Amino acid sequence: MRLYAVVAAGGFRRYATYRIETVAGVFTNTVFGFILAYTYVALWDERPQLGGYDMSQALTYVWLGQALLMTCVMMGGGFEDELIERIRTGDVAVDLYRPVDLQLWWLAGDLGRAAFQLLGRGIVPMVFGSLAFDLVMPASPGTWVAFLVAVALGVVVSFAIRYLVALSAFWLMDGAGAAQMAFLAGMFFSGLLLPLNLFPGLLGEVARALPWSALLQVPADVFLGRHTGWGLVRVYAFQAGWALVLLLAGRLLQSVATRRVVVQGG
């Protein structure tokens, strides 16, 4: 486990070196945060309490989305691009022969990346949003802790989805199509554009049951205090359940891909 801790720390340092990119990302998140916030203001002026949120809660949701956008990689563009390229070029064969677990290696690096993105690109836009709008901030330290746990579980679910997308390159030879589909699904079903509570009928029920809701909708509702007590346990179980299922699916595909590489290499 010490090795994977070192890999996670390396992932944090790797992204911390790109200072200009981080500043540009903070600026972009802040600008889009303002655009979405004023869109939400117009919408909630017409439909107060839409989706069960008041105006302050809705605006808080917007800025949480900007804070978690790159933390949970809701629109793709993380490690999967690098892994897809290694699969396409055949360099992944070297990775598979190393005395480390491929899935845990990439997970550790992604956790380090997520920690930096939360600190480097998440906090500043949230601060700007709180200065410009009346946001809802948890008064209890326990709520902050519960929120961070939900974010951590969301990061693992995000990784598991993107790992499956990357492994698809073993059979597709180019994971661009699968990555694009995951990008669209993540943007829509995470609640990044609109809270999933606003989706009507069966569409809303399906959207909230899909794994992408663990990336933003669940952490945001925990932050807003909509899940407490056993309700909090249930949403944690929802996130952890999806993380387990997707990680196991990734491990199964990894095993099949490893046998394929060994056979071809032999």
Side-chain angles (χ1 to χ4, degrees):
M1 294 305 295
R2 181 180 178 183
L3 170 64
Y4 299 112
V6 171
V7 173
F12 185 98
R13 289 195 302 271
R14 175 183 178 182
Y15 282 85
T17 58
Y18 299 106
R19 296 183 179 87
I20 301 300
E21 182 180 343
T22 299
V23 172
V26 168
F27 176 78
T28 302
N29 286 144
T30 303
V31 169
F32 277 98
F34 276 102
I35 293 172
L36 280 174
Y38 283 114
T39 302
Y40 273 45
V41 167
L43 183 58
W44 259 259
D45 277 340
E46 293 295 322
R47 297 282 303 276
Q49 297 298 321
L50 187 62
Y53 300 108
D54 60 28
M55 178 73 79
S56 293
Q57 290 173 325
L59 290 171
T60 303
Y61 184 96
V62 168
W63 290 101
L64 285 171
Q66 294 307 304
L68 298 180
L69 176 61
M70 291 306 298
T71 303
C72 293
V73 199
M74 284 172 266
M75 296 173 64
F79 77 92
E80 65 273 23
D81 293 339
E82 182 179 351
L83 181 53
I84 286 172
E85 181 62 17
R86 292 187 67 80
I87 293 172
R88 189 187 67 81
T89 60
D91 291 341
V92 72
V94 177
D95 302 334
L96 291 172
Y97 280 109
R98 287 174 179 164
V100 295
D101 184 88
L102 185 69
Q103 187 183 56
L104 289 178
W105 175 278
W106 287 100
L107 174 58
D110 200 55
L111 290 175
R113 174 209 57 78
F116 173 77
Q117 296 290 12
L118 181 61
L119 297 173
R121 287 185 60 169
I123 293 177
V124 176
M126 195 75 181
V127 170
F128 277 113
S130 66
L131 293 175
F133 301 97
D134 181 22
L135 304 187
V136 178
M137 294 294 173
S140 167
T143 303
W144 285 99
V145 173
F147 167 69
L148 291 176
V149 172
V151 170
L153 289 170
V155 169
V156 176
V157 173
S158 171
F159 165 83
I161 293 171
R162 291 176 289 127
Y163 191 69
L164 286 171
V165 169
L167 292 184
S168 70
F170 276 109
W171 291 270
L172 302 177
M173 297 307 297
D174 183 356
Q180 185 66 21
M181 292 175 62
F183 156 75
L184 294 173
M187 183 173 62
F188 188 76
F189 289 114
S190 66
L192 182 62
L193 299 179
L194 282 172
L196 301 182
N197 295 340
L198 274 63
F199 290 14
L202 180 61
L203 175 61
E205 293 178 12
V206 171
R208 288 187 291 272
L210 292 174
W212 290 279
S213 66
L215 278 55
L216 172 58
Q217 184 69 58
V218 170
D221 281 343
V222 171
F223 187 91
L224 293 170
R226 293 167 68 92
H227 297 301
T228 58
W230 283 109
L232 189 60
V233 174
R234 283 195 295 270
V235 295
Y236 282 166
F238 170 79
Q239 289 181 295
W242 268 119
L244 181 61
V245 168
L246 293 170
L247 287 173
L248 288 175
R251 187 159 290 278
L252 177 60
L253 282 185
Q254 175 184 311
S255 177
V256 173
T258 300
R259 287 199 296 270
R260 182 181 181 183
V261 170
V262 169
V263 170
Q264 290 179 345

